[in-house]
Amino acid sequence: MSSIAGTKSGLTWAVHISVVALVLLWLFPTVGLFVSSFRTADQISSSGWWDALFPQEQNLVMRTADPDTQRQEGAQFVIDGNLFEINGENTAGTISAWGTSSRAISEYKPGDTADMGDDGRITVQANGDYVWQNDVEFQGRRGERVFVTAKAPPKFTLANYERVLFSGSTTDSMAKAFFNTLTVTIPATVIPIVIAAFAAYALAWMRFPGRALLIAAVVALLVVPLQLALIPLLRLHNEIGIGKGYLGVWLAHTGFGLPLAVYLLRNYMVGLPRDIIECAKVDGATDFQIFTRIVLPLSFPALASFAIFQFLWTWNDLLVALVFLIDATGETTVMTRQIVELLGTRGGNWEILATAAFVSIAVPLVVFFAMQRYLVRGLLAGSVK
Amino acid sequence: MHPALQGLITIIIGVGGCIGYFYLSNLFIDRVLFPATGKNAGRNINRANMVRPWLFLFPAIFALGLYLAYPVVETLRLSLTDRSAGGAFVGLANYRQMVSEPKFWEAMSNNMLWLIVVPAASTAFGLLAAQLTDRIKWGNIAKSLIFMPMAISFVGASVIFKLVYDARPAGQNQIGVLNAVWMNFDGGVWSIIFLRILPAAILLVFAALMLYLIYTAGRPIVDRNATRGGLSVWAILLRGIAVIGAVWLGYLALKSVYSVFTANLPFGEPQNWLTILFWNNFFLMVVLIWIQTGFAMVILSAALRGIPEETIEAAVIDGANPFDIFFKIKVPQIMGTIVVVWTTITLVVLKIFDIVFAMTNGQWETQVLANYMYDKLFRANDWGVGSASAIVIMLLVSPILIWNVYNARKEMK
C-alpha cells in the first residue's frame, strides 16, 4: 500500500476538485432558471443571471432635496440629507463615483467636493449622504441633479410567481394546469399499484402453468415503445366513447406503467423469506390473507419506489397527455403542455417562462429529495439483478 | 374544483373497484363456486387454487394486453393499410412512401447519432462520477445533486437549456451562459487551447479507444487460439459488426481532428446554437445526457460497491496504479451492469420526443423518429406512414427486447 499512500493526498485533492467541478457543471443550468425566476424582465434581459448574485454597478440620476428645505448656518445656506432616501429605498447601494454634469458622470470620488460656481459646493459620501452649501440663498424650485455610479446589492422579486400562480391571466397562469396535472397524476399512480401488486403476488408465490411465459411477456412489454400504442388506443377510446379526457389518460398511464410495476414488485416479492409465507399457509391462511396481511406490508419499499417512478413519469409526461387528454378547448391542459405553448408564444419573456418551468419542476424535486432512498432502490431492483 | 373532485372520485372508485374485485371474486370461488366443505372439499380446494392465480392476474393481463400487446399488432396492421381508402390493404406502400421522404432519412440518421452519442456519454460521465464520488465524505450529497435532473421533466430541462443557449445580438449583454463564455474567445492562446487542442485531444483519445476495441473484438476472429473452444457463427457476426462500427467511428474521429484545426470559427459573434446545422443535434443531446448521467451514476456506483474488496487488494499488492485498478480490475467486473445501463439509456433515446418537440420541433434538421411520427400522426394526419415509422421504432427496440427476455429466462432457471 505504501506506493499508493505516498500519492494519496495529491490524488484525493484532484478527486475533490473534479467532483466539485462536476457538481457545479450539473447544477449550473438549473440554478440559472431558479435565479431567473426571481428577477424582473428588465433585469433578465440586461444582464446574465450569474450577475444577479453579486452587487451590480448601475448609473442613476438623482436629485437632492428641493431648495425650500434649506437652512442657514452662519453665513452659509445648507441643504443636506441622503440621496438614496430622497430618491426611493430601492435604489440603495454604495456610490463609487458621481458627477454633476451629464457629460462627466463619474468626475468625482465619494467624499470629494464639487464646486459649481454660483450654484455652490456639493459633497457626496459613499453611502449617499450629501451636503450642498452656498454663500447665497438657493434659488429655483427643484434640487440639484447628481449623477451617481452605485453598486446596488442583489435584488429579487416574487412578482413573477404572483403572475404565474395567482393572476388568473389566460396565457400565463399555471394554476389551472397545475391542478390538471395533479388530477392526472394521482389516480394514474395509485391504480396501477393495486392491479400490479396482485399480479406480482401471483407471479411470485403461486404455482400455475404458463407462469414463466407470463413473466417473459412482462419483461418484453417493459421495452415496447408507447409510440406504438398511440393510434390504436386513440381509435379505441373514440370508438368506446371515452374520447379525449381524464379517464382515457388514467387508463393509458395505468397500461403503460404496469409492466414496470409488475416487474419491480414481483422481483421484490420473490425475495421475501419463504418461511413466513409457508408458516402462514400451514396455519390455514388463504392466499388472499397472505397477500394482504404479510406480503403487501413487507413489500412497502418496492411499492414506494414504483409509486415514485410512476409519479415522476406521469407528472413529467407530455406525449400521453397530448394524445389522450388535451382536446381542442385546451381546458384540460397540463403543465408540460402549457410550458411548450409558452415557449412558442413567449419565447423571449424569460421571467414568465422560467417561473412557469420552475413551478412544474418544484413538485418532482421535492418528491425526489424526500424519497430519494426509495427511488434509488427501485432503480437498482429494476436494472441490476 | 370540478376535475379535482372527479379525480378524487376516480381514485376511490378505481382503487375501491380493484380491491372490491379482488376481494369479492376471491370470496366467490371460496364460498360459492368451490366451497372447501362437503364431500368434494379436497377436489374443490385444488380447483380453487388452480383458478385463483388467474383471478389475481386478470386485470393486469387485460390492461397489458389491451394497452401494449394489442397496439403492436394493430399498428402493424395500420401500417399496411390506407386510411383515406377506407382502410384498404396497400401492402408496403406506406413504407415505400416513408422511405422516399428526405425527412425520414434525416430523422433516421439523427436518431443513429443520438444512439451512439447519448448512451456512450451518459455511461462514461456516470462511471466517472460514480468512481469519483465513491470514496469521498460528501460523495452522497454530490451524487444526489448530479442525480437531481432525473426528477426534472424533459420539457423543464428544455426550458433550462434554452436559457443556456439563448443568444442576444452582438453588443448587448449575453444572458445565455454559452454565448457569454463564447464571447470571451477571441482567437488568442486560450481559444486555441480550449477550442482546438482540447477537442482534438478528446477525439484522439476516442480514436485510441476504438483502436483498442477493434483489437479486443477482432483478435478472436483472426486468431482462433485466443479463445477456448472457438467461436460460434453468431459471435463472429457480432464481433464483425463491432469491428466495422469501431473502424467507422475511429475514422470519423480522426477526420474530425483535422477539421477541428482547420475550422474557421466565428469569434466575437453570438451564436444561435440551435440553428447551427448538424451541431444543433449535439446541443439537444446535451439535455438528455445531463438528465441520464445521474441514472447511470447511481446504478454503476452500486455495482462498484459490489466488487469484492479482495480483488482490489490483490491488485494493490501486485503494484497496480489507480488507473490500472479502475480499468483492468473494476470495469471488467461491472461490465454486465454497464451493458444494462447502456441498453436502458438506448431505450430512452429511441423514444426521445419531448426535448426535440419543445426545443426545435424538428426544424434545422434536428428531426428524430418519435417526433417525425408525431408529425405524421397529428399534423399530417397520415396514419399509414405514422404507423410505419412507429414500427421502425419497434424494430430498433426489438434486439434489446429479445436480449432482455433471453436474460430474464436464463435468470429464472
Side-chain angles (χ1 to χ4, degrees), chain A residues 22-222:
Chain A
L22 206 61
V23 168
L24 287 181
L25 194 66
W26 245 252
L27 271 183
F28 203 71
T30 319
V31 174
L33 193 78
F34 183 63
V35 172
S36 294
S37 70
F38 290 103
R39 303 177 77 201
T40 63
D42 285 344
Q43 284 174 320
I44 292 178
S45 59
S46 66
S47 63
W49 63 264
W50 50 94
D51 286 332
L53 304 174
F54 306 103
Q56 291 241 18
E57 193 117 295
Q58 49 182 349
N59 295 318
L60 300 167
V61 184
M62 296 189 171
R63 269 182 195 281
T64 63
D66 299 340
D68 52 5
T69 62
Q70 65 185 299
R71 59 180 199 279
Q72 197 169 7
E73 285 179 8
Q76 299 282 331
F77 291 88
V78 178
I79 299 175
D80 57 3
N82 187 298
L83 285 174
F84 294 125
E85 272 171 28
I86 295 167
N87 291 279
E89 202 51 49
N90 61 350
T91 58
T94 311
I95 295 170
S96 57
W98 58 279
T100 52
S101 146
S102 61
R103 273 160 298 164
I105 58 170
S106 50
E107 194 177 357
Y108 305 103
K109 296 264 153 285
D112 286 356
T113 303
D115 197 337
M116 298 179 290
D118 292 347
D119 286 338
R121 297 166 306 281
I122 185 163
T123 309
V124 176
Q125 306 295 341
N127 65 0
D129 284 344
Y130 68 93
V131 182
W132 186 17
Q133 292 177 312
N134 205 349
D135 302 335
V136 294
E137 198 175 347
F138 290 103
Q139 300 297 319
R141 285 183 296 115
R142 304 189 67 184
E144 173 68 24
R145 275 198 304 175
V146 181
F147 299 88
V148 166
T149 305
K151 266 210 154 77
K155 276 198 302 277
F156 298 104
T157 169
L158 283 172
N160 298 331
Y161 283 92
E162 239 158 70
R163 171 147 186 80
V164 163
L165 289 176
F166 305 115
S167 74
S169 141
T170 46
T171 51
D172 296 342
S173 173
M174 295 286 279
K176 195 173 70 185
F178 186 92
F179 283 110
N180 288 347
T181 307
L182 210 61
T183 314
V184 170
T185 306
I186 294 174
T189 307
V190 178
I191 294 172
I193 292 181
V194 180
I195 295 178
F198 279 93
Y201 174 74
L203 289 175
W205 287 106
M206 290 163 112
R207 309 193 128 267
F208 57 92
R211 189 173 74 153
L213 205 68
L214 275 178
I215 297 171
V218 168
V219 173
L221 291 176
L222 210 50

Side-chain angles (χ1 to χ4, degrees), chain B residues 59-141:
Chain B
I61 292 178
F62 179 74
L64 283 174
L66 187 64
Y67 275 82
L68 286 168
Y70 154 75
V72 175
V73 181
E74 177 70 4
T75 303
L76 189 64
R77 194 186 69 80
L78 282 173
S79 76
L80 300 174
T81 60
D82 188 353
R83 188 189 182 193
S84 54
F89 182 78
V90 292
L92 294 176
N94 288 320
Y95 290 89
R96 238 174 274 135
Q97 192 196 334
M98 179 175 73
V99 171
S100 70
E101 277 184 33
K103 263 286 176 194
F104 169 73
W105 289 110
E106 178 196 316
M108 269 304 255
S109 64
N110 284 341
N111 245 37
M112 290 302 134
L113 204 61
W114 279 76
L115 275 183
I116 295 167
V117 176
V118 175
S122 310
T123 314
F125 275 121
L127 193 56
L128 181 77
Q131 171 64 16
L132 289 178
T133 52
D134 232 12
R135 294 291 162 91
I136 57 178
K137 261 188 199 158
W138 55 287
N140 280 337
I141 300 169

Side-chain angles (χ1 to χ4, degrees), chain A residues 1 4 11 15-16 18-20 22-23 25-30 32-33 36 44-50 179-180 183 186-187 190-191 194-195 198-199 201-203 206-209 212-216 218-237 246 248 250-252 255-256 258-259 262 266 286-288 291 312 316-319 322-323 336-337 339-340 343 348 350 353-354 357 360-361 364-365 368-369 372 375-376 379-380 383-385, chain B residues 1 3-4 6-7 10-11 14-15 18-19 22-23 26 30 49 52-54 56-57 59-61 63-64 66-72 74-75 77-78 125 128-129 132-133 136 138 142-156 159-164 166 168 172-177 180 289-290 293 295 298-299 302 316 320 322 325 337 340 344 347 351 353-354 357-358 370 373-374 377-378 383 386-387 390-391 393-394 397 400-401 404-405 408-409 411-412:
Chain A
M1 293 287 266
I4 284 189
L11 198 62
V15 166
H16 276 281
S18 1
V19 172
V20 170
L22 206 61
V23 168
L25 194 66
W26 245 252
L27 271 183
F28 203 71
T30 319
L33 193 78
S36 294
I44 292 178
S45 59
S46 66
S47 63
W49 63 264
W50 50 94
F179 283 110
N180 288 347
T183 314
I186 294 174
V190 178
I191 294 172
V194 180
I195 295 178
F198 279 93
Y201 174 74
L203 289 175
M206 290 163 112
R207 309 193 128 267
F208 57 92
L213 205 68
L214 275 178
I215 297 171
V218 168
V219 173
L221 291 176
L222 210 50
V223 301
V224 169
L226 65 88
Q227 267 88 357
L228 270 92
L230 301 183
I231 315 173
L233 290 183
L234 191 58
R235 268 169 52 137
L236 183 80
H237 281 181
Y246 285 113
W250 287 325
L251 289 174
F256 300 147
L258 264 182
V262 174
R266 188 232 156 221
T286 63
D287 271 317
F288 195 81
F291 174 72
L312 290 179
N316 290 338
D317 157 78
L318 172 66
L319 186 57
L322 274 180
V323 176
T336 45
R337 166 72 187 176
I339 291 168
V340 171
L343 269 174
W350 277 110
L353 256 180
S360 92
I361 291 172
L365 279 187
F368 171 83
F369 280 114
Q372 204 181 1
L375 186 68
V376 170
L379 273 181
L380 294 178
S383 35
V384 187
K385 275 300 283 179
Chain B
M1 211 42 54
Q6 194 189 344
T10 314
I11 298 176
V15 175
C18 286
I19 294 172
F22 288 118
Y23 182 74
N26 195 56
D30 278 346
N49 283 343
R52 203 183 331 266
W54 300 103
F56 278 29
L57 281 166
I61 292 178
L64 283 174
L66 187 64
Y67 275 82
L68 286 168
Y70 154 75
V72 175
E74 177 70 4
T75 303
R77 194 186 69 80
L78 282 173
F125 275 121
L128 181 77
L132 289 178
T133 52
I136 57 178
W138 55 287
K143 260 186 213 154
S144 61
L145 290 176
I146 296 177
F147 191 33
M148 180 194 72
M150 269 293 275
I152 295 176
S153 61
F154 288 153
V155 174
V159 174
I160 289 176
F161 274 84
K162 271 229 160 178
L163 181 59
V164 170
D166 192 88
R168 300 267 142 164
Q172 284 185 27
N173 268 338
Q174 294 299 329
I175 65 166
V177 181
I289 295 170
W290 180 71
T293 295
F295 161 76
V298 165
I299 293 189
V316 170
I325 292 177
T337 314
V340 169
T344 311
L347 287 174
K351 295 184 238 173
F353 163 77
D354 312 33
F357 184 78
M373 194 203 104
Y374 185 85
L377 287 187
F378 299 105
W383 287 11
S387 304
I391 291 293
I393 300 178
M394 184 67 211
V397 167
I400 299 176
L401 187 149
N404 277 0
V405 172
R409 306 238 23 181
E411 227 166 67
M412 274 189 297

Side-chain angles (χ1 to χ4, degrees), chain A residues 311-327:
Chain A
F311 174 81
L312 290 179
W313 151 239
T314 49
W315 185 277
N316 290 338
D317 157 78
L318 172 66
L319 186 57
V320 176
L322 274 180
V323 176
F324 294 109
L325 174 64
I326 301 165
D327 52 17

Side-chain angles (χ1 to χ4, degrees), chain B residues 91 165 185 213 223 294 296 350 353 355-356 392 395:
Chain B
Y165 297 149
F185 288 117
L213 189 71
D223 178 9
L350 279 171
F353 163 77
I355 293 176
V356 177
V392 170
L395 284 179

Side-chain angles (χ1 to χ4, degrees), chain B residues 136-266:
Chain B
I136 57 178
K137 261 188 199 158
W138 55 287
N140 280 337
I141 300 169
K143 260 186 213 154
S144 61
L145 290 176
I146 296 177
F147 191 33
M148 180 194 72
M150 269 293 275
I152 295 176
S153 61
F154 288 153
V155 174
S158 301
V159 174
I160 289 176
F161 274 84
K162 271 229 160 178
L163 181 59
V164 170
Y165 297 149
D166 192 88
R168 300 267 142 164
Q172 284 185 27
N173 268 338
Q174 294 299 329
I175 65 166
V177 181
L178 203 57
N179 266 315
V181 172
W182 173 252
M183 295 304 274
N184 285 324
F185 288 117
D186 52 3
V189 179
W190 291 109
S191 312
I192 291 175
I193 291 175
F194 279 111
L195 298 176
R196 310 252 194 226
I197 295 175
L198 192 69
I202 292 171
L203 284 168
L204 283 176
V205 168
F206 182 74
L209 208 70
M210 287 301 118
L211 207 66
Y212 179 71
L213 189 71
I214 294 168
Y215 174 72
T216 47
R219 202 169 62 131
I221 303 177
V222 185
D223 178 9
R224 284 299 164 91
N225 298 326
T227 47
R228 273 166 285 130
L231 292 168
S232 68
V233 181
W234 287 108
I236 290 178
L237 199 69
L238 269 178
R239 280 168 185 273
I241 291 171
V243 167
I244 293 168
V247 167
W248 183 62
L249 289 175
Y251 165 72
L252 279 187
L254 289 177
K255 210 175 77 173
S256 318
V257 171
Y258 172 74
S259 51
V260 160
F261 279 104
T262 53
N264 188 13
L265 299 171

